[in-house]
Each structure stands twice: as structure tokens, then as C-alpha cells.
Amino acid sequence: MSNNTVMVVGGGIAGLTAAWELAGQNIKVELVEKTCFLGGHSIGFTCKATDECRQCGACSVEQMLSNVVNEPLINVHLRTEIKNINKGKKISATLGKTDIDIPNTGLLKGFSQYNSPMYVAGDKVSSMPYETAKIDGLGTDGKLDVDAVVLATGFSPFDPRIKGTFGYGEKKNVITGLELDNILRENS
């Protein structure tokens, strides 16, 4: 096994793939994700096949997420962000817990069966579903010394309110493709 450690920043499909490939080279990986769940935007994508696979790629993030959470060379830091980074002989990163807004229900739900925990609860929730973590139990505060950093921080989806052609935000039945995928995923 290599003595090298790499920090991968971002737990979407790019970060998951980078972490998996590095672990395949016997490199220890510290995977840092600012949210409570891995998978990024792509974990919300839904397969569009009706009778046979059309190779849309929606299931690839599920498979990669399964690979990553079951790989002993990958250490996952959920609800964690980089506060400071310095380069010397090694790269030293100071990590801190990300501030997360919990909805009025008091629960956040992950999209994937491979997210563990599947739910994250705020302080005011007493009765919790199966595989639920308290928000204050997630996150890493401290330092990491690594040999390299891979940035896979994702993207921000286009805000359709900027271009009002279709009445997004004005008409209740106008949604984005990503919102549709998320609705289908939650109800499948």
C-alpha cells in the first residue's frame, strides 16, 4: 500500500469517481463533502427507462456511491468544509463543520440507499426513522495532512427565474428537469 494520502473535495459523481480510482491505486483518500450526504446533484437523477436500460447514466452514481462507502481506503467526512489550507512538506487542511439549515420537519433525507445515515435530524426531533443521525454528530473539526488535493466541487444549477420565459416561480406547475428527477426519485 502507498503511504500517500489524497484529499478529495466534493462528494458528487466526480469526487466519488476520483476517490474510487485513487483507492484502486492503493492510495488512502480523505473525502470531504460539505453536505450531509454523498452524491451531489447526480444522486437525484432518475432512470428514464421503461422496459430496458437506455444507458442514461443515472444508475452510475448509485454504483459509485456503493463502491466508495464500502472501500476501507476511503474515509468520508460529511458536513465538513475546508476552513484553511497551507502547503509545506505536506498540504495541511483545517476542517470545520458546515452550517446546515434543517427544514421545519426537522429531518433531511438522502436520496440513495447507500447513504448512511439515510436521514439527518435536527436537535428538536425526538422520534427518528431508521438509520438517522443527529446533525451535531456529523462533521469533522481538525487538521488533515495530505500529499495532494483533488477539487471536484460540482456546480450550481441554472436558476430558471433569471429567464422568465416559461413562468417558473409564477405558475405552480412549471418545474425544472432536475426538480422532476428529484420528485420521481423520492417517489420511486
Side-chain angles (χ1 to χ4, degrees):
M1 181 168 112
S2 168
N3 289 330
N4 293 331
T5 302
V6 175
M7 179 172 57
V8 175
V9 181
I13 187 64
L16 293 171
T17 302
W20 175 248
E21 292 295 328
L22 288 163
Q25 299 296 315
N26 288 321
I27 296 171
K28 185 177 180 211
V29 177
E30 300 289 340
L31 179 59
V32 178
E33 168 57 37
K34 69 180 178 180
T35 69
C36 297
F37 306 103
L38 294 173
H41 294 294
S42 58
I43 198 65
F45 295 163
T46 303
C47 180
K48 310 302 185 289
T50 55
D51 57 348
E52 65 182 61
C53 181
R54 300 290 180 198
Q55 298 180 352
C56 67
C59 57
S60 64
V61 69
E62 285 286 348
Q63 181 59 52
M64 191 56 66
L65 184 53
S66 173
N67 293 344
V68 166
V69 299
N70 293 306
E71 173 54 57
L73 288 174
I74 301 173
N75 185 25
V76 177
H77 304 271
L78 296 174
R79 191 191 162 210
T80 302
E81 61 188 351
I82 299 170
K83 300 290 187 179
N84 190 16
I85 195 160
N86 293 307
K87 179 153 179 14
K89 278 189 170 186
K90 287 207 171 233
I91 299 167
S92 181
T94 304
L95 304 180
K97 293 181 179 184
T98 306
D99 291 329
I100 302 286
D101 290 327
I102 300 287
N104 292 338
T105 61
L107 286 173
L108 294 172
K109 180 181 182 279
F111 280 118
S112 173
Q113 62 182 328
Y114 300 111
N115 276 311
S116 183
M118 183 62 160
Y119 296 90
V120 173
D123 299 331
K124 299 175 184 167
V125 176
S126 56
S127 174
M128 294 184 280
Y130 177 71
E131 286 192 68
T132 301
K134 285 284 202 175
I135 188 74
D136 49 348
L138 290 179
T140 303
D141 286 316
K143 287 199 184 280
L144 273 180
D145 291 325
V146 297
D147 298 293
V149 176
V150 174
L151 295 177
T153 55
F155 65 94
S156 295
F158 175 74
D159 181 354
R161 291 175 290 224
I162 293 171
K163 191 168 178 125
T165 308
F166 299 108
Y168 182 87
E170 297 168 11
K171 298 176 182 170
K172 69 177 184 174
N173 291 332
V174 177
I175 61 173
T176 67
L178 186 56
E179 289 170 333
L180 176 61
D181 269 338
N182 288 332
I183 291 166
L184 292 171
R185 180 92 175 182
E186 283 180 12
N187 295 307
S188 62

